[in-house]
Amino acid sequence: GIDARTGKIRWSFSSEGPIKGTASLVQGSVYFIRGLGFFYSLEARTGNLIWTLQLPGRLASVPALFDHSIYLSLNYPGTLLKLTEKAD
């Protein structure tokens, strides 16, 4: 994260591989994709890892975030995943 007032780096995170697409910020969490099948969540304030998920296929597009859920479309096996903070 970068301090908006000073422009100094406040934290950084190494994903041990290339980050694909653009990171998304939602309700204090940063979400991004690493490589072909890993999805990460970081605490926006500190950069601490909240969780990581190895996906069962390659992502077809950038994750969509809506109503406290994350939607992921996969090229193979043609799947749409919905991730939520708690069970529906």
Side-chain angles (χ1 to χ4, degrees):
I2 297 176
D3 187 308
R5 291 179 298 155
T6 65
K8 293 183 180 179
I9 296 173
R10 295 179 65 185
W11 60 260
S12 66
F13 180 84
S14 175
S15 68
E16 300 178 6
I19 294 174
K20 302 290 184 179
T22 303
S24 298
L25 174 63
V26 177
Q27 296 182 341
S29 295
V30 176
Y31 300 98
F32 67 92
I33 302 159
R34 178 191 69 140
L36 299 174
F38 292 90
F39 191 59
Y40 285 77
S41 175
L42 306 179
E43 184 178 295
R45 189 177 52 80
T46 64
N48 291 334
L49 179 66
I50 298 171
W51 52 257
T52 185
L53 174 66
Q54 185 171 3
L55 301 171
R58 294 181 179 188
L59 284 164
S61 65
V62 176
L65 303 145
F66 178 73
D67 197 25
H68 306 284
S69 296
I70 303 165
Y71 297 87
L72 304 169
S73 58
L74 306 178
N75 279 335
Y76 180 84
T79 303
L80 179 65
L81 300 176
K82 178 183 177 184
L83 306 176
T84 59
E85 292 180 19
K86 55 186 175 182
D88 284 345

